[in-house]
Amino acid sequence: FFLPGPWALDSSLVWLPKSSQETIMPQLDIFALFTAAVKEDSAENYEAALPLYLAGLKKAMEDLKSPGLSDETKGSLRKKIQVYMERAEDLKALLAEPRAHVASAAAPSHPTTESCAGKFEQALDELRQGIAPLVRSALQAREKHGELGGSMENDAAALLGVMWRNWRECFEPMLSPYDRNLVAECRHWRNKWAHQEMTGAEDTFRALDCIERLLASVSSVAEKTTGSLAPRVARVRALKLALHGALGEELRRPRS
């Protein structure tokens, strides 16, 4: 497998405590494997990404037993293992039924309102979990403690609303005007879904695309603090891909 390099400590090990970076240098190939896996995953080269994830996970599990690693470093490594293990399981399931995917794309597909809403709900939860740490840290940095409600991080609508209301002061320095438009559109689709007004593959595909793009933008900001959101972006993209066959059928039908 191709392993990118050379790796700088600042970019590859930014999530590690400074005191642990020297200790982890001998295990740098773990992060090269995971980085290569995420690169292939983001490019939708799932067959190449899966073995890279598995190789990185195997090496990481072995290195957890190393007496040279501090408890703090082991804790950080365990968090990474959990994220990439979940994504590897997703890819195993995705690649386990290639014939089923081909058959569903070839046959006429008419998703129900319930199945479209279910895909959007899954994507919305990925968005909620992805943006919550960034929203919390941005509000804390500006001492916007009144916006930090106890249940805010469990509610995608509340998080998107906070981003919209506090855009200029808290989020404009780190995200683009286009990202602000994505926040507005994600709020729009979330409201349509909540009122059971989202029907058909076309609306669902566009809503998922907005969520994917916003997650990707947040990921580029959050990568050096809370970690890459690439696995979440890839899961939302997989939901989009599952709609391709139905979307083609729907677009070929004349609008009423």
Side-chain angles (χ1 to χ4, degrees), residues 225-248:
T225 54
T226 58
S228 173
L229 302 181
R232 297 194 186 282
V233 176
R235 284 194 286 271
V236 173
R237 174 161 290 198
L239 292 170
K240 278 174 55 182
L241 290 174
L243 284 171
H244 270 181
L247 181 62

Side-chain angles (χ1 to χ4, degrees), residues 12-29:
S12 297
L13 302 177
V14 71
W15 59 276
L16 287 172
K18 288 281 185 185
S19 61
S20 304
Q21 290 181 356
E22 255 185 58
T23 309
I24 200 66
M25 277 294 290
Q27 286 80 35
L28 197 57
D29 54 330

Side-chain angles (χ1 to χ4, degrees), residues 98-116:
R99 294 179 183 176
H101 287 290
V102 171
S104 64
S109 179
H110 306 286
T112 64
T113 300
E114 290 76 12
S115 66
C116 287

Side-chain angles (χ1 to χ4, degrees), residues 31-223:
F31 307 100
L33 282 166
F34 284 147
T35 303
V38 169
K39 181 180 178 181
E40 296 293 349
D41 198 345
S42 299
E44 300 180 28
N45 299 323
Y46 302 132
E47 291 183 353
L50 180 57
L52 287 167
Y53 279 128
L54 294 177
L57 286 167
K58 181 179 179 182
K59 186 75 172 75
M61 294 296 289
E62 291 172 354
D63 284 0
L64 271 179
K65 302 173 184 176
S66 171
L69 296 183
S70 68
D71 290 342
E72 188 178 5
T73 299
K74 287 181 179 180
S76 299
L77 189 54
R78 286 191 186 96
K79 291 179 182 177
K80 286 288 181 184
I81 288 172
Q82 181 64 35
V83 170
Y84 293 124
M85 189 174 291
E86 288 178 3
R87 183 55 188 160
E89 291 300 321
D90 289 342
L91 290 187
K92 283 182 184 179
L94 185 65
L95 295 172
E97 302 176 355
R99 294 179 183 176
H101 287 290
V102 171
S104 64
S109 179
H110 306 286
T112 64
T113 300
E114 290 76 12
S115 66
C116 287
K119 286 180 173 60
F120 179 77
E121 186 173 8
Q122 292 177 58
L124 189 66
D125 193 56
E126 294 288 353
L127 179 65
R128 176 187 65 78
Q129 295 182 64
I131 66 175
L134 179 72
V135 172
R136 182 178 63 250
S137 63
L139 293 178
Q140 288 174 341
R142 294 289 182 174
E143 298 186 352
K144 294 267 189 177
H145 304 299
E147 294 275 16
L148 289 168
S151 60
M152 179 193 68
E153 294 184 30
N154 296 321
D155 186 346
L159 289 166
L160 290 168
V162 165
M163 291 184 75
W164 182 258
R165 290 192 302 275
N166 297 278
W167 184 266
R168 185 179 295 275
E169 188 174 357
C170 297
F171 301 99
E172 190 174 64
M174 64 182 76
L175 296 168
S176 72
Y178 174 67
D179 297 323
R180 186 172 185 265
N181 292 338
L182 289 174
V183 170
E185 195 158 356
C186 285
R187 294 182 77 196
H188 165 76
W189 290 117
R190 183 268 166 199
N191 290 339
K192 290 199 72 166
W193 166 77
H195 292 94
Q196 300 181 348
E197 296 173 358
M198 182 180 290
T199 59
E202 188 175 357
D203 277 2
T204 307
F205 188 89
R206 179 165 178 174
L208 296 183
D209 188 64
C210 291
I211 288 176
E212 181 191 355
R213 290 172 186 270
L214 182 56
L215 270 176
S217 293
V218 171
S219 181
S220 65
V221 174
E223 191 166 4

